[in-house]
Amino acid sequence: MAELGSLLHLLAGGCGGTAGAILTCPLEVVKTRLQSSQLTLRPLCLSEMQMSAMSVKLMNSTPPSPGVLRLLKDILEKEGMRSLFRGLGPNLVGVAPSRAIYFATYSGAKERLNDVLLPESKKVHMLSAACAGITCATLTNPIWLVKTRMQLEARVKGEMANNAFQCAVHVYRTEGLRGFYRGVTASYAGVSETIIHFVIYESLKQKLRSSRHSISPPLTLSPNSYDFFGLMGAAAVSKTCASCIAYPHEVIRTRLREEGSRYRSFIQTLQLVVHEEGPLALYRGLLAHLIRQIPNAAIMMATYELIVHLASSTL
């Protein structure tokens, strides 16, 4: 039964992650471009003289950041619709095993920690989320590095861009195996976002369960659909809080994954970005991240909970 339960969490996590990734891919591309140090050069297609002049200005001020809609329009006009789905291949390859590993590890760690600590306490949720986040980041970082490289690769409309395999081969030839783990330290720092997310989510979920008997659901919704939308709301709220608090690690991770990057370590990148572009640069792309991540987290968590509930009720 324990093995069957682990397989169930693997399946539920994989399905939830895949559903969210497919629906929010264009915003993922925009967010990555906004986080990059190259965003003012590639999307706006500046001339060499303009780029030279801007490079001098960047040393003393925060670079201008195009808005989400402006960048979406720019990518569509200059690179075509397909560029909004750059990196979808690695995303689809990686999101199912990534979410499956995450949820299976989280569920397994929580089950074991409940035996030695106060069951379902915040400490259990935090340690389980940390364990799951570190495991997932270590095993899947090569996939996300390839995805980031593909999303940062601007191309002229109609021009063939490298696919995931070509990108992976290029990384291996130029940087070796270590190249696939660039940005992993930022991913470890990003575990704080996961911890905050799950602590708030589990707390809201417990409140939903306790209030379900005292607050009757709307007449138009069945109890199951009421639970489903409640979980989506809990996931959205918890992810919003976590993303706003821990967002800078996303910018640092993208910078570390840039090809030929002068960014070498987490602390060095943090200091360099703040020194050259100001503290606000650590929040570039936050709007696109929230627009993408909130529905993505809601879809993923609700799908996960629904599959677990349906499968558990039939076993």
Side-chain angles (χ1 to χ4, degrees):
M1 289 298 295
E3 292 180 359
L4 188 60
S6 296
L7 287 174
L8 172 60
H9 287 286
L10 280 166
L11 174 64
C15 291
T18 300
I22 292 173
L23 295 174
T24 60
C25 184
L27 285 169
E28 169 75 11
V29 173
V30 171
K31 180 202 74 171
T32 304
R33 295 283 184 96
L34 286 169
Q35 291 173 343
S36 172
S37 63
Q38 306 162 2
L39 82 111
T40 55
L41 307 183
R42 285 182 176 175
L44 302 181
C45 296
L46 302 176
S47 66
E48 289 187 11
M49 289 183 65
Q50 287 174 312
M51 286 192 293
S52 177
M54 181 169 286
S55 65
V56 175
K57 292 180 181 179
L58 292 184
M59 297 302 293
N60 301 309
S61 63
T62 302
S65 176
V68 174
L69 292 178
R70 169 68 187 277
L71 190 51
L72 269 171
K73 180 182 176 183
D74 201 71
I75 293 173
L76 281 171
E77 289 180 351
K78 296 181 171 62
E79 303 179 40
M81 176 68 75
R82 292 182 64 182
S83 283
L84 289 176
F85 290 88
R86 293 284 294 153
L88 180 59
N91 228 347
L92 293 179
V93 170
V95 72
S98 172
R99 293 297 90 188
I101 291 167
Y102 186 91
F103 281 109
T105 306
Y106 179 80
S107 174
K110 187 168 73 168
E111 184 177 334
R112 288 170 174 78
L113 288 169
N114 278 335
D115 293 334
V116 296
L117 298 173
L118 181 64
E120 298 301 324
S121 63
K122 283 184 171 58
K123 185 180 290 185
V124 168
H125 296 154
M126 289 176 67
L127 292 174
S128 300
C131 181
I134 292 172
T135 302
C136 184
T138 303
L139 295 176
T140 60
N141 196 76
I143 299 173
W144 306 134
L145 179 124
V146 171
K147 181 203 72 172
T148 301
R149 290 286 178 89
M150 291 179 70
Q151 291 175 341
L152 291 176
E153 183 184 1
R155 63 185 180 87
V156 179
K157 187 182 292 188
E159 179 185 1
M160 290 297 294
N162 289 334
N163 58 36
F165 178 75
Q166 291 171 326
C167 183
V169 170
H170 178 72
V171 172
Y172 178 74
R173 287 177 175 172
T174 57
E175 303 174 50
L177 288 175
R178 291 184 62 184
F180 288 104
Y181 282 89
R182 289 180 59 171
V184 73
T185 52
S187 294
Y188 291 155
V191 170
S192 60
E193 177 180 340
T194 305
I195 292 172
I196 297 167
H197 168 45
F198 265 88
V199 168
I200 298 175
Y201 175 73
E202 293 282 3
S203 176
L204 291 175
K205 191 168 74 171
Q206 288 175 3
K207 289 181 180 179
L208 282 172
R209 286 174 178 171
S210 63
S211 64
R212 185 170 57 183
H213 302 292
S214 59
I215 303 176
S216 58
L219 295 176
T220 54
L221 295 176
S222 66
N224 282 340
S225 61
Y226 179 73
D227 292 342
F228 184 79
F229 286 114
L231 291 172
M232 287 187 72
V237 170
S238 60
K239 193 62 180 179
T240 302
C241 296
S243 295
C244 290
I245 294 171
Y247 182 76
H249 90 272
E250 291 258 355
V251 175
I252 295 171
R253 184 172 60 193
T254 296
R255 299 293 180 96
L256 286 168
R257 288 175 176 171
E258 290 178 0
E259 184 175 6
S261 176
R262 59 202 177 97
Y263 305 108
R264 298 185 299 276
S265 68
F266 183 87
I267 299 299
Q268 182 259 354
T269 303
L270 174 64
Q271 294 173 337
L272 196 59
V273 171
V274 172
H275 175 70
E276 292 186 351
E277 304 171 37
L280 288 179
L282 294 173
Y283 287 88
R284 288 207 318 209
L286 177 59
L287 178 60
H289 180 68
L290 290 177
I291 294 172
R292 169 192 172 270
Q293 199 74 324
I294 293 171
N296 182 51
I299 293 166
M300 181 181 68
M301 295 299 295
T303 303
Y304 166 75
E305 298 281 4
L306 182 64
I307 291 175
V308 170
H309 171 73
L310 292 176
S312 298
S313 63
T314 58
L315 292 177

